[in-house]
């Protein structure tokens, strides 16, 4: 059995990121590839892929302005953030 000092010494501490965990979902079945979200993204998080669908390239840089979500005519984008 390990002592309290040994447990504290070898305890692994997880570093907390200063960025929130962001998940950007694009529903391909709903998207009609109008590219409004790609044009409105100020941080250039959404980029057009080879099929014409918007794909999140760097979701860490998303500032949660929600312009892409609000302006999407088909409600094909969802942004969630988890601060844990």
């Amino acid at each position: 059995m390990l002592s309290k000092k040994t447990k504290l010494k070898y305890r692994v501490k997880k570093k907390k990121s200063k960025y929130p965990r962001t998940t950007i979902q694009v529903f391909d079945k709903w998207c009609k590839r109008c590219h409004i979200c790609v044009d409105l993204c100020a941080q250039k998080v959404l980029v057009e892929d080879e099929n014409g669908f918007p794909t999140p390239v760097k979701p860490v840089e998303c500032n949660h302005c929600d312009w892409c979500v609000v302006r999407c005519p088909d409600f094909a984008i969802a942004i969630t953030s988890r601060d844990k």
Side-chain angles (χ1 to χ4, degrees), residues 23-67:
T23 305
I24 301 173
Q25 295 178 332
V26 178
F27 303 105
D28 292 343
K29 290 185 178 182
W30 297 356
C31 182
K32 62 182 177 185
R33 297 179 252 186
C34 64
H35 305 294
I36 293 173
C37 56
V38 175
D39 294 336
L40 287 177
C41 187
Q43 301 295 326
K44 302 298 180 199
V45 174
L46 294 172
V47 178
E48 178 184 344
D49 68 355
E50 65 273 354
N51 295 328
F53 291 107
T55 56
V57 178
K58 39 190 173 179
V60 173
E61 295 185 12
C62 180
N63 61 358
H64 302 282
C65 66
D66 290 339
W67 275 100

Side-chain angles (χ1 to χ4, degrees), residues 9-20:
K9 183 178 178 182
Y10 292 107
R11 183 179 293 170
V12 177
K13 294 183 181 180
K14 293 183 179 179
K15 292 182 179 180
K16 290 187 178 181
S17 176
K18 63 180 179 178
Y19 300 106

